[in-house]
Amino acid sequence: MSPIVFLAMIIVMAYTLQIFLGFKQIKHFNSVYTELRRKGRVAIGRRSGKFKSGTIVMFAIDSKGKISAAKKIQGVTIGARFKDMPQYINHDLHYLDHYNPLVRQENKLTQIAIEDARDVFLTIEAGTYQEVPKSIPMIDWSLQIKSLLSRFKLTNKSL
């Protein structure tokens, strides 16, 4: 077996393992979300990380805005799991901002995720939430190339 074929097989196996573990993490996220959803509304905040660890917090909220359950997942790998955050139970989500002493005890990524959960919850509660589509760089490039080609065709027709 040539070294190139062996290397290609290792890369394919590693990619397959990553896909499998990624699906397991998504399944874990969905089960935790379902568990919290049974307790009431769920506020989700995130701080995505490209090279740093990403953080997701989920709060189960009762009708008065009090937190009945809180969970956090933080990590770089797909092996990260949700952990309970019991210190937030029975606190009002409306007051969890960067001035709150509980939030200040968390690391910076968790603070950002908690504030994101609060901001999204308040926006939805106020009825002013609008989904903002994220741009995908590859689509942007293809649109720009198509735009340049159509401009080029129009300028050539006028000459």
Side-chain angles (χ1 to χ4, degrees):
M1 183 180 302
S2 74
I4 294 175
V5 172
F6 182 71
L7 181 63
M9 285 176 47
I10 289 176
I11 291 172
V12 168
M13 287 183 350
Y15 187 69
T16 305
L17 180 65
Q18 180 181 3
I19 290 172
F20 173 73
L21 293 175
F23 279 126
K24 280 191 69 149
Q25 189 175 39
I26 290 171
K27 187 176 178 182
H28 176 63
F29 175 88
N30 288 335
S31 67
V32 170
Y33 175 75
T34 303
E35 172 191 330
L36 293 178
R37 186 70 182 107
R38 287 187 185 124
K39 296 179 180 183
R41 296 180 292 173
V42 178
I44 301 175
R46 63 185 172 81
R47 171 30 176 113
S48 60
K50 304 244 188 286
F51 298 106
K52 295 180 181 178
S53 65
T55 304
I56 299 174
V57 294
M58 290 198 284
F59 298 111
I61 311 296
D62 66 10
S63 60
K64 297 176 185 172
K66 299 275 187 186
I67 298 171
S68 58
K71 298 205 179 255
K72 169 179 88 167
I73 186 171
Q74 186 171 31
V76 179
T77 66
I78 51 181
R81 294 285 179 235
F82 276 96
K83 295 177 178 72
D84 290 328
M85 298 183 346
Q87 67 270 26
Y88 291 100
I89 295 176
N90 292 326
H91 281 81
D92 195 335
L93 182 63
H94 296 93
Y95 301 111
L96 291 183
D97 57 7
H98 61 277
Y99 298 112
N100 189 302
L102 274 177
V103 176
R104 285 186 164 213
Q105 292 175 0
E106 301 289 346
N107 64 43
K108 191 69 174 170
L109 300 174
T110 305
Q111 289 178 12
I112 294 169
I114 290 171
E115 287 188 33
D116 183 52
R118 177 185 173 267
D119 292 343
V120 170
F121 178 76
L122 292 175
T123 305
I124 290 174
E125 194 175 50
T128 58
Y129 180 75
Q130 291 182 349
E131 188 75 30
V132 178
K134 305 245 179 188
S135 64
I136 301 171
M138 292 303 288
I139 292 174
D140 287 345
W141 279 104
S142 66
L143 289 175
Q144 289 179 6
I145 290 172
K146 287 179 185 177
S147 174
L148 287 173
L149 288 175
S150 64
R151 283 186 199 166
F152 182 72
K153 287 178 184 177
L154 287 175
T155 55
N156 283 341
K157 283 184 180 179
S158 63
L159 294 178

